[in-house]
Amino acid sequence: MKHYIFNFFLSAKIFCKLFLVGALILAVVCLETGCSLPSGNFEPVELLPGWKKETVEITLPEYPAETHPPLVGWKILYWNQDGGSTQYLSANQQQLSITMEKNIPTAILCYPLTAVAESTVSFFHPAGCIYPYSHQASWEEGFTAETFFQLAQSKSLEDLQSSPLLRFNWSRLTQQITKKFQQAQEKGTIFSPWFLQQELLKAHIQQGTASTRSIKTETLQQLEQTELQEQAHQQEATPKQLYYRYIPLATVQETIYFPQTEGYTIHQENAFLCEDEIVSCFTKKNQKPVLVTIGIERYTDR
């Protein structure tokens, strides 16, 4: 019996020594290779841009309340994986927080809602910006953001990452728009980015072939406001101060500029805002343009 007990204790001592030696060797290997044991906190690994969420502050533009109809609030529209999301802000809010896919370009559109004839309407074109390139919405970037939104709206997150939209220089487009606007001001003419051939530009962006040659203006028609007033007088209607849909243009001065149309087609830029109604320069073939009321209800958002 003693012999077996002795052997048992001897085996146990040898086993313990081997265990301790093995543990020591493992500790040395870990120190040399930099490995570590789990701490209980698992840090997320960002496998691809957009895997994380990020909350950003977007600054709204200044609304020219002194020269334009009263501002009631803002309608905010931005792209997400579901196609789009909408928020409404009060007139005195200058910032909003949006949670988005981190580092995935997103268009934010800021539509001013104004009071017209006891109605709240969305008539003016939006200001905008494209995250993460900018967090400051501007009227000049509204066209850029709207173009991006329309192209991205039908795409999934995976489609967007592999599309030409992320390779296009959106900031350069805004710079070109600002340049054209300034040149028009210096010449005493009118330029709005919504006078551009937007469908042509969108096609070139999707094909990955867009360049400065893709920024082409529609054929514009001009009409003296006095001539329009004479026509309106014959129809027993006196036009009031007219507003363009692009905020930086403010009001019509002497000459109205709008895209030329054929027959009875109404281009969206033919619409102008009066004090209490929305009207359109409505063209007929081989005839002079006339001013026609098209109704506020077509633009009412809520």
Side-chain angles (χ1 to χ4, degrees):
M1 177 66 70
K2 290 182 179 180
H3 175 73
Y4 289 107
I5 293 174
F6 173 79
N7 287 342
F8 173 78
F9 282 110
L10 179 62
S11 299
K13 288 181 179 180
I14 293 173
F15 179 80
C16 288
K17 288 182 178 180
L18 291 173
F19 178 81
L20 291 174
V21 170
L24 180 61
I25 292 172
L26 178 62
V28 171
V29 171
C30 284
L31 288 174
E32 290 181 352
T33 59
C35 70
S36 60
L37 297 176
S39 63
N41 296 323
F42 293 91
E43 295 296 328
V45 178
E46 189 170 0
L47 301 178
L48 56 116
W51 189 76
K52 289 182 180 178
K53 298 282 188 178
E54 181 179 32
T55 300
V56 297
E57 295 290 328
I58 303 297
T59 303
L60 273 62
E62 290 290 333
Y63 178 79
E66 299 81 9
T67 57
H68 282 67
L71 181 67
V72 175
W74 296 89
K75 174 185 174 182
I76 311 299
L77 189 64
Y78 56 95
W79 177 90
N80 60 23
Q81 292 191 68
D82 298 324
S85 185
T86 306
Q87 291 186 25
Y88 288 93
L89 303 180
S90 63
N92 58 3
Q93 287 184 263
Q94 287 297 308
Q95 287 190 324
L96 74 150
S97 298
I98 301 179
T99 301
M100 296 176 291
E101 302 290 339
K102 187 175 182 180
N103 296 330
I104 294 296
T106 302
I108 298 98
L109 303 176
C110 307
Y111 293 87
L113 302 177
T114 56
V116 178
E118 301 181 354
S119 298
T120 298
V121 301
S122 176
F123 171 80
F124 295 105
H125 285 305
C129 63
I130 300 179
Y131 159 89
Y133 312 128
S134 173
H135 293 182
Q136 172 72 55
S138 68
W139 302 112
E140 293 79 9
E141 199 171 352
F143 176 84
T144 306
E146 183 190 77
T147 302
F148 182 100
F149 183 90
Q150 291 177 356
L151 290 173
Q153 193 172 13
S154 60
K155 297 183 182 297
S156 66
L157 185 59
E158 291 74 19
D159 291 339
L160 184 63
Q161 288 177 313
S162 60
S163 74
L165 272 64
L166 301 194
R167 298 190 295 273
F168 182 71
N169 192 335
W170 296 98
S171 298
R172 178 74 185 280
L173 175 59
T174 301
Q175 292 171 4
Q176 290 294 315
I177 288 172
T178 303
K179 180 180 178 180
K180 285 182 175 294
F181 181 80
Q182 292 173 346
Q183 290 175 341
Q185 293 285 306
E186 292 171 359
K187 295 178 181 178
T189 59
I190 294 295
F191 172 80
S192 165
W194 277 272
F195 287 167
L196 297 177
Q197 298 180 26
Q198 192 176 27
E199 293 305 315
L200 174 67
L201 176 61
K202 289 195 296 186
H204 287 184
I205 293 173
Q206 289 198 100
Q207 295 164 7
T209 60
S211 66
T212 53
R213 295 181 179 180
S214 305
I215 307 176
K216 294 184 178 180
T217 305
E218 297 273 10
T219 301
L220 297 182
Q221 192 161 349
Q222 301 179 25
L223 181 68
E224 297 299 322
Q225 192 171 17
T226 53
E227 182 183 351
L228 189 63
Q229 287 174 343
E230 290 174 2
Q231 295 177 17
H233 180 70
Q234 294 173 3
Q235 300 173 26
E236 299 180 356
T238 304
K240 301 177 183 178
Q241 186 69 58
L242 300 180
Y243 292 91
Y244 285 102
R245 298 187 67 192
Y246 184 46
I247 289 283
L249 287 180
T251 58
V252 173
Q253 299 303 318
E254 297 177 356
T255 305
I256 298 175
Y257 293 82
F258 54 93
Q260 185 172 334
T261 56
E262 295 271 337
Y264 292 92
T265 304
I266 301 178
H267 190 284
Q268 65 170 350
E269 290 309 306
N270 288 9
F272 298 89
L273 180 68
C274 291
E275 183 178 329
D276 56 0
E277 61 184 358
I278 293 173
V279 298
S280 174
C281 279
F282 192 60
T283 60
K284 295 182 179 180
K285 212 166 190 177
N286 302 321
Q287 293 184 26
K288 293 182 179 180
V290 295
L291 201 62
V292 178
T293 301
I294 60 176
I296 287 177
E297 62 277 0
R298 293 184 57 184
Y299 292 89
T300 301
D301 261 68
R302 59 184 212 182

